[in-house]
Amino acid sequence: MILRIENFLSRKEANDIEKQLSSDQFSWFYQDSLVSSSKDQFFFNHNMYAEGRITSYVYPIGNKIVDKIKKIPDHNFKNLAIFRIKCNLYTRQLKNLKSEKHVDSKRTHLVGIYNVNTNNGGIIIHDKKEHFIPSIKNSLVLFEGHYKHQAVFQTDTKLRLNINLNLI
């Protein structure tokens, strides 16, 4: 299952999240690699939840997204619980580099990627075939956690911002 929803939050909510995450007052933390074996790729993140526990003052952003996911019609998401939520910041690259294929957790889970801004990066999801999902502001993609996926760096904007959710 891969589900993509555009205009997921209200325009005001989406703009407020983008403003907060791109502010010079928001704390970002350097990560030396995207996955354990990637060598020359780095990014910045900010954890809201880890192991189901709040780890940041901005956790209400994650809660807002999860609350709306639970209300998506025609899907049984209402009993999902938060395992991990983190914000990701990727810097502009000279070409659309890709992370290695990976899964976020070995647990049975649902992955959500909320795109905070629009750029030419995105995510590649591998189920039976390869699906490129572009980063379009205020869109959400949900997929089964056992699907391998890859981050795709952008070349057209200074920042690619998203929120990665792992729900159990």
Side-chain angles (χ1 to χ4, degrees):
M1 184 257 339
I2 299 173
L3 177 63
R4 184 163 178 254
I5 303 169
E6 294 188 26
N7 301 310
F8 185 68
L9 300 174
S10 73
R11 182 174 294 173
K12 180 182 180 338
E13 290 169 322
N15 288 338
D16 288 349
I17 290 170
E18 183 177 22
K19 184 177 178 182
Q20 185 170 7
L21 269 57
S22 59
S23 163
D24 62 3
Q25 300 299 306
F26 192 79
S27 301
W28 288 102
F29 302 93
Y30 175 75
Q31 302 300 312
D32 195 43
S33 64
L34 268 72
V35 292
S36 60
S37 58
S38 63
K39 293 184 173 54
D40 296 326
Q41 298 173 342
F42 68 93
F43 73 114
F44 297 86
N45 80 342
H46 182 107
N47 289 312
M48 291 184 201
Y49 279 85
E51 303 285 327
R53 293 194 322 243
I54 295 170
T55 57
S56 170
Y57 65 96
V58 295
Y59 74 91
I61 293 172
N63 288 357
K64 179 180 300 202
I65 295 168
V66 171
D67 288 346
K68 188 140 186 197
I69 289 170
K70 289 180 175 185
K71 295 175 184 171
I72 294 173
D74 302 325
H75 294 280
N76 190 18
F77 298 147
K78 67 181 179 226
N79 295 321
L80 290 172
I82 296 169
F83 178 67
R84 181 181 78 164
I85 301 178
K86 66 184 186 106
C87 307
N88 295 321
L89 180 154
Y90 303 93
T91 59
R92 178 177 21 221
Q93 301 297 307
L94 298 175
K95 59 183 180 175
N96 290 111
L97 299 173
K98 299 174 191 170
S99 72
E100 290 187 21
K101 294 177 188 175
H102 66 279
V103 294
D104 292 347
S105 173
K106 293 183 177 170
R107 310 178 75 145
T108 300
H109 68 290
L110 181 71
V111 176
I113 303 291
Y114 174 79
N115 292 295
V116 176
N117 66 332
T118 298
N119 54 73
N120 69 355
I123 185 169
I124 298 172
I125 302 168
H126 302 270
D127 60 358
K128 293 179 177 128
K129 62 181 190 167
E130 192 174 282
H131 305 271
F132 174 73
I133 311 291
S135 290
I136 298 173
K137 181 177 178 171
N138 196 22
S139 65
L140 175 78
V141 62
L142 296 168
F143 57 94
E144 295 175 42
H146 67 273
Y147 291 167
K148 288 188 175 185
H149 57 281
Q150 298 172 271
V152 179
F153 287 77
Q154 82 288 356
T155 63
D156 63 335
T157 59
K158 287 183 181 180
L159 305 175
R160 175 176 172 241
L161 299 168
N162 68 35
I163 299 173
N164 177 263
L165 306 105
N166 297 129
L167 307 172
I168 54 176

